[in-house]
Amino acid sequence: MLNRSVTLRVMVVEDSADMRARVAGLIHEVAGIEIVAEAEDESSALALYDKHQPDAAVVDIRIRNGSGIAVLDHIKRHNPDCVVVMLTNCAQLEFRQRCHEAGADHFLEKSREFSRVANVFRHLLRRKSNTSE
């Protein structure tokens, strides 16, 4: 049985305001998800992660003034249990491998797998709910 009091706290790191809004819209379709922070550049993402300590993050590789991979590294160094979904147009093998090595939990291509983001969060919420019972 799903525990409705469980909330999954998520941060979105994406340099495009339009894409951040699309990701947020997709995530908001899932009951029990709260977006606690949004960032468009590396320094803001790091500061907001440290401030809010989200349960999960959606991160693009290419962001302003830095790299989403650096954000991934920071998150996983500070909390290996934080689920990181890399959502990017940089789908080349080298990026996939680097993200995998840094601990990314999911690697999704924006152009082909965008809609899978909601399913990832539904699954995470279900898993969190089952462990909190």
Side-chain angles (χ1 to χ4, degrees), residues 35-74:
I35 296 178
V36 296
E38 294 184 20
E40 65 181 20
D41 61 57
E42 183 179 326
S43 62
S44 296
L46 300 178
L48 288 169
Y49 173 80
D50 291 342
K51 177 180 178 180
H52 294 284
Q53 297 292 306
D55 303 304
V58 178
V59 181
D60 189 4
I61 290 175
R62 290 194 177 131
I63 56 175
R64 288 191 179 105
N65 302 317
S67 161
I69 296 174
V71 173
L72 167 64
D73 285 331
H74 179 87

Side-chain angles (χ1 to χ4, degrees), residues 16-113:
S16 163
D18 289 340
M19 184 57 73
R20 270 196 322 276
R22 287 186 62 206
V23 171
L26 198 59
I27 291 171
H28 283 300
E29 291 178 8
V30 182
I33 304 288
E34 175 187 7
I35 296 178
V36 296
E38 294 184 20
E40 65 181 20
D41 61 57
E42 183 179 326
S43 62
S44 296
L46 300 178
L48 288 169
Y49 173 80
D50 291 342
K51 177 180 178 180
H52 294 284
Q53 297 292 306
D55 303 304
V58 178
V59 181
D60 189 4
I61 290 175
R62 290 194 177 131
I63 56 175
R64 288 191 179 105
N65 302 317
S67 161
I69 296 174
V71 173
L72 167 64
D73 285 331
H74 179 87
I75 291 171
K76 289 301 188 172
R77 246 189 347 267
H78 288 84
N79 180 7
D81 294 331
C82 181
V83 175
V84 179
V85 178
M86 301 304 290
L87 180 65
T88 186
N89 285 322
C90 302
Q92 297 89 341
L93 183 59
E94 66 191 77
F95 290 116
R96 285 181 180 276
Q97 288 175 330
R98 177 62 186 101
C99 290
H100 177 73
E101 290 166 2
D105 298 279
H106 301 273
F107 189 99
L108 304 176
E109 291 181 53
K110 285 180 187 174
S111 62
R112 294 186 318 115
E113 301 173 294

